[in-house]
Amino acid sequence: MTRILSGVQPSGTLHIGNYLGAVRQWAATQREADAFYCIVDLHALTIDIAPDDLRSRTLDTAIGLIAAGLDPDVCTLFVQSHVPEHAELSWLLECVASYGELRRMTQFKEKGAGQESVRASLLTYPVLMAADILVYDADRVPVGDDQRQHLELTRDLAIRFNSRYGETFVVPEAVIPVVGARVMDLQRPDKKMSKSTGTPLGTIAITDSSEEIVKKVRRAVTDTGSDVRYDVAEKPGVSNLLEILAAATGTSPEGVAARFSSYGQLKQEVADELVSLLAPVRERVQELTRDPAGVAAALEKGAAKAHAVAAPTFARARAAMGLTARNQ
Ligand code: TRP
């Protein structure tokens, strides 16, 4: 069976960008593949985050993922730092990666720009990501478009390791979803929807009430003119609404555009679709929030399943590089 792996930042409550762009696809593929989903708490430490926030956001992210349809009995859902082989393999891969190729990563340049001090881990971030993937022999990695470059690096590192130390890793492939891959901020349609860097009014959480959803969609910025068509360059606001509607209803943004003759009509339908799509998700979030011990137990089971796969792969990599055998 094909093994897929993806990682999600512990940014807390999921928003519709996460949900429509990635998590809903994950929920669909968990039954067709051997699926691993990892909450990347170690990656979250590459920028400033308060310990209490990291703790609560990790739990909220797990709750959101389960509520959005990831079934811990079907897929392997776990927290990155609960499986020590990620960080360990990352070190070995740092000895295969070069400073030059890491420094050239777009995300490193963007996140590091203008910072007074940049954590060393921000530079090595993509190597840890490579370890997340390679330690599970993952065949396919569903990621957003912004992670394409990191996936290329992962493949380069796997190929380099294999040629230097002998066949050890599976060389994974990126899977970039076509529909709903990029949901933008409703107030800043030139920016990806994001809980940390987006605007509050431009971000719809999966836990937002129906009233909040309606309000945010109604206030979404639109563009000059009044015709509804999918044109990201000329009409970023309208195109984003079409993108959301298409992702929510499983159609294409170009296709749905023809149905509308005004912005108001489009907004009404986007709001209606989101309200009915998110109501059951919000209810499951509330149930899980009342049962933190149950969530922790599910994550513990996930970590045990993950560890059983990661340990032998890591042992193979250690041995290939000439590290002597150890007992645990
Ligand atoms: N860097 C990814 C992001 O910001 C998250 C991530 C970490 C990831 N490890 C991964 C994604 C492994 C896919 C596979 O979205």
Side-chain angles (χ1 to χ4, degrees):
M1 194 150 55
T2 304
R3 179 166 298 150
I4 61 177
L5 176 134
S6 201
V8 61
Q9 296 279 351
S11 41
T13 310
L14 302 184
H15 56 67
I16 59 165
N18 311 127
Y19 182 57
L20 296 174
V23 181
R24 238 174 26 141
Q25 274 87 346
W26 296 358
T29 44
Q30 66 184 337
R31 283 165 216 285
E32 294 152 21
D34 184 15
F36 285 67
Y37 297 117
C38 174
I39 301 172
V40 295
D41 57 346
L42 296 173
H43 277 113
L45 293 171
T46 56
I47 52 173
D48 190 26
I49 181 165
D52 282 340
D53 287 344
L54 180 55
R55 229 181 321 268
S56 65
R57 287 182 201 168
T58 302
L59 183 65
D60 286 344
T61 303
I63 288 174
L65 292 174
I66 298 170
L70 294 192
D71 183 341
D73 291 324
V74 175
C75 65
T76 302
L77 173 66
F78 65 103
V79 176
Q80 187 185 34
S81 70
H82 294 182
V83 181
E85 283 79 5
H86 292 244
E88 285 191 286
L89 180 60
S90 185
W91 178 262
L92 301 192
L93 294 175
E94 278 179 39
C95 301
V96 174
S98 77
Y99 170 61
E101 69 191 335
L102 298 184
R103 200 185 40 195
R104 283 193 298 273
M105 291 287 122
T106 317
Q107 198 164 338
F108 171 68
K109 290 194 272 186
E110 279 171 11
K111 285 198 186 173
Q115 302 289 329
E116 205 171 289
S117 157
V118 172
R119 296 183 184 192
S121 58
L122 194 63
L123 179 71
T124 57
Y125 177 116
V127 183
L128 177 59
M129 178 164 163
D132 297 340
I133 297 165
L134 299 181
V135 84
Y136 295 103
D137 286 334
D139 304 294
R140 293 160 73 83
V141 183
V143 281
D145 199 39
D146 61 330
Q147 296 298 313
R148 205 186 276 269
Q149 199 185 32
H150 290 162
L151 243 292
E152 269 312 307
L153 178 80
T154 302
R155 291 169 52 87
D156 289 346
L157 294 180
I159 292 167
R160 198 178 306 155
F161 191 105
N162 288 347
S163 75
R164 194 175 292 169
Y165 299 109
E167 275 312 305
T168 304
F169 295 121
V170 170
V171 180
E173 259 169 56
V175 192
I176 316 274
V178 187
V179 170
R182 269 175 94 75
V183 174
M184 314 303 275
D185 189 291
L186 296 175
Q187 293 295 314
R188 294 279 319 268
D190 57 324
K191 290 248 179 282
K192 203 172 142 178
M193 188 175 283
S194 157
K195 213 182 123 181
S196 53
T197 60
T199 67
L201 198 57
T203 310
I204 297 181
I206 58 166
T207 49
D208 277 357
S209 67
S210 300
E211 295 73 35
E212 281 167 313
I213 295 169
V214 171
K215 181 181 87 180
K216 288 176 182 177
V217 172
R218 236 181 236 154
R219 296 212 199 148
V221 303
T222 44
D223 314 292
T224 51
S226 60
D227 58 320
V228 176
R229 67 190 149 84
Y230 187 69
D231 180 343
V232 176
E234 291 288 318
K235 295 195 158 247
V238 169
S239 298
N240 188 33
L241 291 172
L242 289 167
E243 185 99 41
I244 292 169
L245 184 59
T249 56
T251 48
S252 77
E254 293 88 352
V256 289
R259 295 217 312 270
F260 302 101
S261 53
S262 75
Y263 291 171
Q265 236 181 3
L266 170 63
K267 285 183 167 181
Q268 183 66 48
E269 183 142 339
V270 171
D272 288 348
E273 283 295 337
L274 287 178
V275 165
S276 58
L277 188 69
L278 295 180
V281 179
R282 186 172 58 229
E283 212 163 285
R284 282 197 296 274
V285 169
Q286 285 159 357
E287 283 165 21
L288 291 161
T289 305
R290 287 193 290 270
D291 181 23
V295 178
L299 291 175
E300 199 177 313
K301 216 168 83 179
K305 277 198 280 178
H307 184 252
V309 177
T313 318
F314 178 64
R316 225 159 58 215
R318 285 175 50 92
M321 291 183 95
L323 298 171
T324 50
R326 68 180 191 199
N327 288 329
Q328 47 189 332

